[in-house]
Structures are given as C-alpha cells and as structure tokens.
Amino acid sequence: MVLSIQKPTFLHNQWGCPLTGKGPFYTVARMKLFSFCPRCGAPDPIFEQDKRVFCPSCNLEYFHNVATAVGALLVSHGRLLLLERAQEPRKGKLALPGGFVDPGERVEDALRRECEEEIGWKTDLPLSFLGSFPNIYRFQGIDYHTCDLFFVIEPVYLEIKDLRLDPQEVAAVHLVPLDQVSLPDLAFESSRRAITLYRER
C-alpha cells in the first residue's frame, strides 16, 4: 500500500535527513517522512511499506533498511554480565554489551570491538551464535528498525574489577546469576528474548 501524507502532525528532528544531513526531517507514527526529496527538493515524496521513499519528480528510490546490531551474553560460572546504560535511549536500564555493526565490518568483529570499547574487555574466545531478534531503537525521536544478533561467550574468568568502563556509555556493570536476571529491567525487548532463549537451552 502506498501512502502519501499531505498534512500529518510532524515531530521535528534537528539533525536533518539521514541521507543528506539536510533538514527538515520529520517523524510521524512509525514512519520516517522527508518533507522534501533529498535529491531534487520536490515536496511530498511518497512513502510505502514503512521503508521506501519514492520521488515522482526525479525517480529517486531511497530505502531506510533494517540496521544490524550485535549483543554479547558473557556468561561466567552461571553469572551474566549486564551493563547499566549511561545514555539515552533507556538511560539507567540494563543491557548486554553490544552495538551497531559498522560499514564493512563482520558481525563477529563488531561484537569484539563493542566489548573492548564499552567495558575494556578484549577476547579471542570463540563466539557461539545464539539467535537473532528484531528490535526498534528509538533515538532522538527516530525509530531505527534493527536486527539484533546475539552471541554467547563463556570466559572461565570474568571479574568486574578487571573491566575498564567507558563512562559515556556505561554507568556500572553487574554480574548477575542467570536465574536472578530481571527481564523487565532490560532496556530492549530483543535482549529479553535472547536471555530467555539462553535460559531455555
């Protein structure tokens, strides 16, 4: 179904269009709306399927596709490492180490990089793929649809005192027995589902 919105109620995003960096760029409901075509400037491009932008004036097709993210279940002697988020979205909530995959990066390398950046933990231990789950990452008024891939790493030794936290991203870390992890305290639904899947294995 093609949807052309003429007079929606917009929420302004000061950072502009994610394609060109130019404004204005708006969010309404679950859809991302350009007020003007980012290539030719024609007004009111057409949106469909929550991801495709089409401009009839210059035939531009822009796809706001799903982003890839990774998460690590670091499990040591039945304890799961959880981070307390230091920034939005969901500041103060718990999360697994992880983040977005950079362009040209393997998901395995992205996971190791995120562990090193967030908690100063560098490892060559094997990664065991657990599963993937869809997620919505809301940041500054924009919903980013992601596919989150989760891997299990089981170090023999893991202690909080040996970690170096990035204070801009991580307020604190906790080693929690798996059967005591409170799923409602997790920031993202995909992480809740991953932990549930691991518990059921």
Side-chain angles (χ1 to χ4, degrees):
M1 180 181 72
V2 176
L3 178 62
S4 179
I5 300 179
Q6 301 299 323
K7 295 181 179 180
T9 300
F10 292 115
L11 299 175
H12 182 250
N13 167 32
Q14 63 176 327
W15 300 105
C17 164
L19 182 65
T20 66
K22 299 178 181 179
F25 178 75
Y26 300 92
T27 301
V28 60
R30 292 178 58 205
M31 305 185 72
K32 283 72 180 176
L33 298 180
F34 292 98
S35 185
F36 301 95
C37 170
R39 182 161 70 183
C40 73
D44 299 325
I46 298 169
F47 293 80
E48 63 179 1
Q49 300 174 354
D50 275 356
K51 67 175 185 178
R52 179 177 180 264
V53 181
F54 175 69
C55 175
S57 297
C58 68
N59 293 323
L60 170 73
E61 285 186 287
Y62 168 70
F63 292 91
H64 192 76
N65 289 319
V66 171
T68 305
V70 290
L73 281 77
L74 296 180
V75 183
S76 179
H77 300 289
R79 301 175 302 166
L80 177 67
L81 185 77
L82 295 174
L83 316 182
E84 184 177 325
R85 293 180 59 83
Q87 62 181 1
E88 298 295 346
R90 315 283 174 83
K91 182 178 179 180
K93 285 285 191 177
L94 299 179
L96 298 169
F100 286 99
V101 178
D102 287 340
E105 188 175 39
R106 298 168 66 242
V107 293
E108 296 88 350
D109 295 336
L111 188 65
R112 290 189 169 95
R113 172 182 55 77
E114 288 288 349
C115 286
E116 186 172 2
E117 290 176 355
E118 291 182 342
I119 59 175
W121 191 71
K122 189 173 182 178
T123 182
D124 293 323
L125 289 172
L127 311 181
S128 175
F129 179 66
L130 176 65
S132 64
F133 299 99
N135 191 37
I136 297 177
Y137 187 87
R138 172 169 281 269
F139 183 65
Q140 295 179 344
I142 299 176
D143 286 343
Y144 294 88
H145 291 259
T146 69
C147 182
D148 298 348
L149 285 71
F150 293 92
F151 294 84
V152 177
I153 310 176
E154 298 180 315
V156 174
Y157 178 85
L158 182 65
E159 294 295 338
I160 291 176
K161 64 181 178 62
D162 298 323
L163 304 178
R164 300 185 311 278
L165 310 186
D166 178 352
Q168 293 186 334
E169 295 195 47
V170 182
V173 293
H174 309 277
L175 275 170
V176 183
L178 270 165
D179 59 357
Q180 296 180 24
V181 174
S182 175
L183 296 181
D185 292 335
L186 271 291
F188 304 110
E189 176 63 22
S190 59
S191 297
R192 299 184 197 111
R193 295 175 68 181
I195 293 171
T196 299
L197 179 61
Y198 182 79
R199 283 171 166 174
E200 293 174 347
R201 292 202 314 178

